[in-house]
Amino acid sequence: QVQLVESGGGLVQAGGSLRLSCAASGRTFSSFAMGWFRQAPGKERELVATITWNAGLTRYADSVKGRFTVSRDNAKNTVYLQMNRLKPEDTSIYYCAAYQEGKTTPSSWGQGTQVTVFS
């Protein structure tokens, strides 16, 4: 288990950028794949991006490809989500999540950070 704390959310105009951070506790952070999810009011939580433990593989939802970039710094126990060319439909609560090795569903979740994009 790791504990996750997101930061970096806020209010931004369409076309702008934000960088979300997710700080993890625990010495085993580097062994976890990580994911970013989001959930808008009245909608189901959706997967935005994932990154393997060594950052060798990243995957993105079609809706964010080419605009969002996930990265991690295992020395800092932190995973990032750089969001560029933001759109109003990106407005959501963003959550980071940790996957134990071999698992396809997250075992730990952060509390979420609100991102609001206005036009």
Side-chain angles (χ1 to χ4, degrees):
Q1 289 280 359
V2 293
Q3 292 187 332
L4 305 172
V5 179
E6 302 95 336
S7 61
L11 185 65
V12 64
Q13 190 170 19
S17 298
L18 283 175
R19 189 176 81 154
L20 305 183
S21 299
C22 174
S25 65
R27 291 176 292 177
T28 58
F29 170 77
S30 60
S31 67
F32 286 77
M34 299 295 295
W36 284 98
F37 291 75
R38 66 186 181 185
Q39 187 168 19
K43 296 187 177 181
E44 293 187 355
R45 187 173 296 188
E46 65 171 337
L47 179 62
V48 175
T50 58
I51 185 167
T52 52
W53 69 273
N54 62 352
L57 180 64
T58 57
R59 291 180 176 172
Y60 299 91
D62 287 344
S63 58
V64 307
K65 279 181 183 177
R67 301 188 298 122
F68 291 12
T69 303
V70 60
S71 61
R72 66 189 295 162
D73 185 338
N74 287 342
K76 295 182 178 180
N77 279 13
T78 302
V79 62
Y80 305 97
L81 185 67
Q82 177 67 44
M83 306 185 294
N84 298 328
R85 304 201 309 275
L86 282 160
K87 304 176 181 180
E89 51 264 43
D90 294 319
T91 295
S92 283
I93 299 175
Y94 284 72
Y95 301 87
C96 70
Y99 295 79
Q100 289 184 327
E101 186 175 359
K103 302 296 185 181
T104 58
T105 57
S107 56
S108 299
W109 292 88
Q111 84 289 349
T113 186
Q114 176 71 47
V115 172
T116 302
V117 184
F118 64 95
S119 57

